[in-house]
Amino acid sequence: MGLEILIFLLVGIFAGLLAGLFGIGGGIIIVPALVATFMYLGFNEAIIMHLAIGSSLASIFFTGIASAYAHNKKHSLVWEAFYPLCAGITIGALLGALIAGNLSGVILRYILGIFLLGLATQLIFSFEIKKTTRSHNLLLSVFSGSGIGMMSSIMGIGGGSFSVPYLRYLGYEMKMSIGTSAACGVPIALFGSIGYLLIGWNLESLPAMSYGYIYLPAVIGISATSVFSASLGVNIAHKLSDLILKILFSLFLIVSALYMLAI
């Protein structure tokens, strides 16, 4: 149990840094780390991927709050962009959990890897695109939020890999996109984890201290360190230029995608 908790604490540190730096929930690190840890602990292989995703979302909720709070203090959170996205995210995150319950772990990993490669490519080729006006389309943002929430919930991530490119498309600079994305991770994590709790509630193969597809020791350990390291990531983000942030975010997406396709 001691080694297990140490792993969760270390994962939380890196997840928090990424949450603050890139406006993501850290699930791209949390999910693979939890899969490896659960395999080492001898958990039932049939439920490992879903347990990792549900636990990731539950811990992202606390990380997301810390990251969003830190970004808001630096005035890099656009509330008028957040609210319509949040409305769609609420529905999409619950729906995503229901869909994931019917997918195998291998399929979930491939979905995540392919989408991250696509998003990295999109971000790279839009480096020089500059929008002079922002297109505030309420219906588009609600619809996009539903898709972001659904895909993020399926894969156990905070949604920054999807919401940052979307906010960039609307014309927001990188720091504002990252800050708003961090806030979007909170409803994704909340409603996504509720979904995973419900769909896994009656399973008999779950390990002790699990509530549905949420493994409580992992959530506590990761959250304990990520809420503090998230503010450090925010401070680092505000010391870097938009170009550097875009390059780092693209590289992060590519590395994460290749890793998920390889494991």
Side-chain angles (χ1 to χ4, degrees):
M1 178 63 74
L3 178 60
E4 177 185 348
I5 294 299
L6 178 60
I7 292 173
F8 296 149
L9 292 173
L10 290 174
V11 170
I13 292 174
F14 287 105
L17 283 172
L18 288 176
L21 188 58
F22 296 128
I24 64 174
I28 296 171
I29 279 185
I30 296 173
V31 172
L34 288 182
V35 169
T37 304
F38 293 162
M39 292 179 67
Y40 170 77
L41 294 173
F43 290 176
N44 188 331
E45 291 187 9
I47 54 94
I48 280 179
M49 191 66 188
H50 295 82
L51 188 65
I53 293 174
S55 301
S56 172
L57 287 169
S59 61
I60 285 172
F61 174 73
F62 300 100
T63 308
I65 290 177
S67 179
Y69 176 76
H71 277 290
N72 190 48
K73 285 181 64 176
K74 292 184 177 292
H75 307 289
S76 58
L77 202 166
V78 186
W79 290 104
E80 63 181 357
F82 166 77
Y83 289 128
L85 281 172
C86 181
I89 282 170
T90 300
I91 300 172
L94 286 169
L95 179 61
L98 295 177
I99 294 174
N102 295 300
L103 298 176
S104 70
V106 174
I107 292 176
L108 291 176
R109 291 202 304 270
Y110 282 140
I111 290 175
L112 177 57
I114 292 170
F115 266 90
L116 291 181
L117 280 177
L119 289 168
T121 302
Q122 178 188 8
L123 188 58
I124 290 171
F125 283 103
S126 65
F127 273 174
E128 303 303 322
I129 296 178
K130 303 291 183 182
K131 290 219 170 195
T132 56
T133 59
R134 298 188 180 100
S135 179
H136 287 292
N137 187 314
L138 180 62
L139 185 60
L140 175 62
S141 288
V142 172
F143 180 78
S144 298
S146 298
I148 291 170
M150 181 180 68
M151 294 306 301
S152 301
S153 180
I154 287 175
M155 295 175 285
I157 61 177
S161 306
F162 303 108
S163 52
V164 168
Y166 175 72
L167 290 163
R168 289 289 297 158
Y169 165 76
L170 292 182
Y172 292 103
E173 65 181 37
M174 195 63 177
K175 290 185 179 67
M176 305 301 286
S177 298
I178 288 175
T180 307
S181 171
C184 289
V186 177
I188 289 173
L190 175 61
F191 291 99
S193 58
I194 289 174
Y196 278 90
L197 183 148
L198 294 176
I199 64 175
W201 187 257
N202 293 321
L203 289 180
E204 297 180 357
S205 57
L206 292 170
M209 294 184 287
S210 293
Y211 297 88
Y213 282 125
I214 297 175
Y215 186 54
L216 194 57
V219 175
I220 294 174
I222 293 171
S223 302
T225 51
S226 64
V227 295
F228 298 105
S229 57
S231 59
L232 177 59
V234 171
N235 290 331
I236 295 174
H238 280 265
K239 294 181 184 299
L240 300 177
S241 68
D242 272 11
L243 178 60
I244 295 298
L245 282 173
K246 285 185 287 186
I247 293 173
L248 289 175
F249 190 58
S250 299
L251 292 174
F252 168 74
L253 290 175
I254 292 171
V255 171
S256 300
L258 294 176
Y259 179 77
M260 291 304 294
L261 291 171
I263 61 174

